[in-house]
Amino acid sequence: MMRTLILSLLLLGLSGCMSVSDLADGAHSQLSDAGFLDHSRTQRASSWRLQPDSFIYIGQGHFVPPGDAYPRPNVVAEEAFKGFVEYFPLVRRASGPLGLEEAMAQARAAGAHYLLYARFAAADDRIGNGDEWADQEAVDRLGTDRAVIQLMLIETSTRYLVDTARIRSRGGFLTFYDAKPEDLLGPPLEDYARRLLGLNE
């Protein structure tokens, strides 16, 4: 009885020190690390930060990830735009896949300070619903999706490679139903935009 009372008081004390949002963020982080929710890991080559008024042009290469996944041709650029537009007022994206030189030319023509050039490097679309099971019927294909994207941030005036990043994402066991690898891209790309402003440091 005494042990239960002490434990209850300890928990009440701890909960008084943390806000509900902090507790929720901690729980989300723990569940992600344990594989229950979507998880991503970003590796950057530098810690370069951008000014909030930087004009960024976003383009995606023609490269199609190997495997059986067939994401939309410009999906990385689309998801990056959604993540960046909240933090950078001056941001535009190409309407379709481009080669690097073509993307650089369009970025310069638009007057952009930086080109964010992306590539969908790998995608593994695992069985996540009844239709996919009917198509494949392979037990080893059940499970969570995976995705890898590569990013290059290039200064348009000097062609200086400011930063490169590699983002590895995997789905969670609570979120894999009817999911696709491209569904994993939005949150880590928004996180990368925040890192460029120094908000996640």
Side-chain angles (χ1 to χ4, degrees):
M1 182 69 175
M2 188 61 143
R3 184 182 294 172
T4 306
L5 181 61
I6 292 172
L7 211 65
S8 299
L9 288 172
L10 185 63
L11 286 173
L12 281 173
L14 284 174
S15 64
C17 298
M18 297 181 72
S19 67
V20 175
S21 60
D22 288 340
L23 288 170
D25 288 343
H28 185 275
S29 178
Q30 294 294 327
L31 288 170
S32 296
D33 289 344
F36 292 104
L37 298 177
D38 296 349
H39 177 78
S40 65
R41 183 175 165 203
T42 302
Q43 295 173 306
R44 292 184 61 190
S46 76
S47 57
W48 189 282
R49 293 184 183 180
L50 301 184
Q51 295 296 322
D53 61 349
S54 298
F55 183 1
I56 301 171
Y57 191 87
I58 301 171
Q60 178 180 343
H62 293 283
F63 185 82
V64 177
D68 295 327
Y70 301 101
R72 295 191 314 276
N74 207 36
V75 67
V76 181
E78 293 166 9
E79 293 298 323
F81 179 82
K82 290 177 192 174
F84 272 67
V85 75
E86 183 178 345
Y87 300 99
F88 293 94
L90 302 173
V91 62
R92 286 182 58 189
R93 72 166 175 83
S95 57
L98 303 167
L100 178 57
E101 292 303 322
E102 191 178 6
M104 180 63 74
Q106 288 193 16
R108 284 178 168 168
H113 303 124
Y114 298 95
L115 168 66
L116 180 68
Y117 192 70
R119 185 173 89 139
F120 208 147
D124 188 3
D125 186 10
R126 297 284 180 139
I127 296 173
N129 59 36
D131 292 337
E132 291 175 349
W133 173 257
D135 288 342
Q136 300 180 43
E137 292 188 4
V139 176
D140 63 326
R141 294 293 302 153
L142 286 168
T144 58
D145 298 331
R146 284 171 165 53
V148 178
I149 57 175
Q150 297 166 333
L151 303 170
M152 291 192 302
L153 186 66
I154 306 169
E155 194 172 39
T156 56
S157 60
T158 62
R159 297 182 66 96
Y160 177 70
L161 185 61
V162 172
D163 189 23
T164 61
R166 183 172 182 256
I167 300 174
R168 296 176 60 92
S169 301
R170 62 160 170 73
F173 287 107
L174 298 178
T175 56
F176 82 97
Y177 178 75
D178 211 19
K180 297 287 182 190
E182 52 264 38
D183 298 336
L184 303 170
L185 305 182
L189 285 166
E190 181 177 345
D191 176 69
Y192 182 66
R194 291 175 56 84
R195 288 178 186 225
L196 287 175
L197 287 174
L199 299 177
N200 280 10
E201 304 298 334

